[in-house]
Amino acid sequence: MECGRVMDALELLDIVSSGETSKVQFKEKFPHQDSIAAEMVAMSNSLGGKILFGVEDKTGEIKGLKGEEIRDYSSRLGNISSDLVNPPVNVTTEVVSVENGDSKKVLIANIEEGTNKPYKDNNGTIWVKKTSDKRKLTDNNEILRLFQASSNLMADEMPVNQASIEDINEEKFKAYFEKLRNRTIEQEGLSYEKALHVKRVMLKGKISLGGLLFFGSNPQYFKTSFCIKAIHFVGNDLSGSDYKDSIDIEGTIPEMFDLGMKFFERNLKHVQAGQSFNSIGKLEISQIALEELLQNALLHRDYFKNAPIRLMIFDNRVEIVSPGKLPNGLTVEELPYSNPIPRNNILIGYAKDAMLFRGYGTGISRALSEQPNIELINDIEGEQFKVIIPREQ
């Protein structure tokens, strides 16, 4: 096992001085193989990381390893990564020498974030990182999100077992189908149920989550958390109890989008911006930017998380908070330039034909072009994506 980029001593000392984190672990000697397997699993299921052998875990003191220990540890790491982790993971190693009176060698095992999550140890246990420690994963929704992270499972393709064909608004779906095809279902020679399957509103006889969220008569009857909580606070404090407007927005995704935009329109200031005196004026924040950001929240949020989207207006800012961190290891810096794998394929397909959706991968870029002072925050620990737009006071 070789490593492409070689770490130098100064970089190693900087890492050691920062202590153990969710991505760095210290081991003075090689522990039981099951412990290392669990650490590999946790890092592969999270954001990857490094295990430094020859460093005392409590004090961070560099003890160093002998040559025969380095050879033995490297061999054992290879065996563990292929035999005790399922699916196997790729581990690369490197040795860094630190001169501190005498030369001390540290073996570094590099574990990348996995692309085939969830990873398990030899006992079938799924581990994830939690700060500098790790924890067993037992919650079904969290496990499903690991499948989603590897594009092995899409939330909007999941069946809503309690829902039936009667819970789909037939009029809405038929209008969508006719607009899309320029022909009715009957003219296409399809039954209503067959058409629902063709457009993936139904999958294998079950209503899909995507179908329910776009064409359901009352989606929140089955999925109460998949709504928007909108509030206009007095002041700038999230914990404040005074507010000017508050509403729970429910319905299909197109309906929630329309109602969310109306919430912005009645609560944000309108400015003349060169328009005639009798004009109602433009919103103080670009309407195009708000449209793109609200659609982004509704279409790209993590539907494995039972939490609402939050729209919050303060005196000095607007916040749009959607459940789920950015997918596929995407960073905020990459976001305006990337075309990542979509989290919700079914919803994206519907939106292209039924909303203002202008194409996946360009919404954030367009919003930033219209409103350059937008701040994007990918809250990995809190598993949410936050957009902050300043307001002039």
Side-chain angles (χ1 to χ4, degrees), residues 8-274:
D8 60 31
L10 288 177
E11 186 178 354
L12 172 65
L13 290 172
D14 184 56
I15 291 173
V16 171
S17 67
S18 299
E20 291 188 313
T21 67
S22 61
K23 298 186 72 173
V24 177
Q25 288 289 294
F26 301 154
K27 305 292 181 185
E28 182 178 350
K29 298 294 182 181
F30 205 100
H32 192 277
Q33 62 180 10
D34 289 345
S35 173
I36 293 297
E39 198 64 56
M40 287 182 182
V41 167
M43 288 181 171
S44 298
N45 280 330
S46 302
L47 297 174
K50 301 177 183 295
I51 306 174
L52 278 56
F53 295 93
V55 180
E56 211 279 328
D57 59 346
K58 291 184 173 60
T59 65
E61 180 183 353
I62 296 177
K63 299 283 188 164
L65 298 174
K66 298 176 181 178
E68 57 268 25
E69 289 178 314
I70 291 173
R71 290 188 290 273
D72 176 49
Y73 292 6
S74 295
S75 175
R76 291 162 71 179
L77 285 167
N79 292 335
I80 291 170
S81 66
S82 60
D83 297 339
L84 300 184
V85 178
N86 185 30
V89 298
N90 183 44
V91 178
T92 59
T93 61
E94 57 185 311
V95 178
V96 178
S97 297
V98 178
E99 301 293 337
N100 188 15
D102 57 346
S103 179
K104 294 180 179 178
K105 294 182 178 181
V106 174
L107 174 67
I108 302 170
N110 298 287
I111 296 100
E112 295 183 357
E113 179 179 358
T115 59
N116 198 16
K117 302 175 185 179
Y119 294 86
K120 304 175 183 179
D121 65 17
N122 208 34
N123 298 313
T125 303
I126 300 173
W127 299 89
V128 293
K129 293 299 295 182
K130 183 181 181 182
T131 61
S132 61
D133 206 347
K134 59 184 178 295
R135 65 181 176 90
K136 291 181 180 179
L137 201 60
T138 57
D139 181 78
N140 286 338
N141 282 334
E142 288 189 87
I143 295 171
L144 288 173
R145 287 202 295 276
L146 287 181
F147 277 105
Q148 178 183 247
S150 299
S151 300
N152 291 324
L153 184 66
M154 298 293 182
D156 58 349
E157 295 178 352
M158 296 292 289
V160 183
N161 291 320
Q162 306 92 333
S164 69
I165 194 170
E166 285 77 23
D167 296 302
I168 297 300
N169 186 309
E170 185 173 348
E171 183 179 344
K172 286 179 186 176
F173 175 75
K174 285 187 172 180
Y176 163 81
F177 188 96
E178 187 170 351
K179 177 185 175 182
L180 180 64
R181 302 290 297 175
N182 290 318
R183 288 162 61 88
T184 65
I185 290 172
E186 292 75 19
Q187 287 172 331
E188 290 282 354
L190 299 174
S191 68
Y192 174 52
E193 184 170 342
K194 180 63 176 178
L196 291 175
H197 276 89
V198 166
K199 298 309 299 177
R200 304 175 77 190
V201 176
M202 295 185 75
L203 294 172
K204 299 180 180 178
K206 298 284 188 178
I207 301 298
S208 69
L209 177 61
L212 180 73
L213 290 173
F214 236 87
F215 303 107
S217 298
N218 184 7
Q220 285 72 31
Y221 177 81
F222 301 96
K223 300 293 180 180
T224 56
S225 297
F226 296 166
C227 63
I228 298 175
K229 301 279 188 179
I231 187 166
H232 184 179
F233 289 93
V234 174
N236 298 314
D237 190 353
L238 179 61
S239 62
S241 58
D242 294 331
Y243 57 88
K244 300 176 183 179
D245 191 1
S246 177
I247 184 173
D248 287 353
I249 298 173
E250 298 183 343
T252 63
I253 285 178
E255 290 167 345
M256 287 193 288
F257 171 76
D258 290 340
L259 291 171
M261 287 304 301
K262 288 178 181 176
F263 172 79
F264 284 135
E265 288 163 6
R266 71 172 177 266
N267 283 284
L268 293 176
K269 298 174 186 176
H270 289 75
V271 295
Q272 291 306 119

Side-chain angles (χ1 to χ4, degrees), residues 172 175-176 179-180 210 213-215 228 249 251-261 290-300 303 309 344 346-360 366:
K172 286 179 186 176
Y176 163 81
K179 177 185 175 182
L180 180 64
L213 290 173
F214 236 87
F215 303 107
I228 298 175
I249 298 173
T252 63
I253 285 178
E255 290 167 345
M256 287 193 288
F257 171 76
D258 290 340
L259 291 171
M261 287 304 301
L290 290 171
E291 288 172 350
E292 295 291 353
L293 294 170
L294 182 54
Q295 283 188 120
N296 186 79
L298 287 164
L299 297 173
H300 302 315
Y303 281 103
I309 293 167
N344 301 305
I346 292 179
L347 295 181
I348 299 301
Y350 296 150
K352 288 178 180 177
D353 302 306
M355 296 179 69
L356 295 171
F357 190 73
R358 296 175 176 89
Y360 182 65
R366 187 175 293 105

Side-chain angles (χ1 to χ4, degrees), residues 306-326:
N306 289 315
I309 293 167
R310 288 179 289 157
L311 308 183
M312 295 176 286
I313 299 177
F314 300 88
D315 288 354
N316 68 351
R317 69 193 187 278
V318 170
E319 294 189 10
I320 302 174
V321 183
S322 53
K325 61 187 178 183
L326 290 175

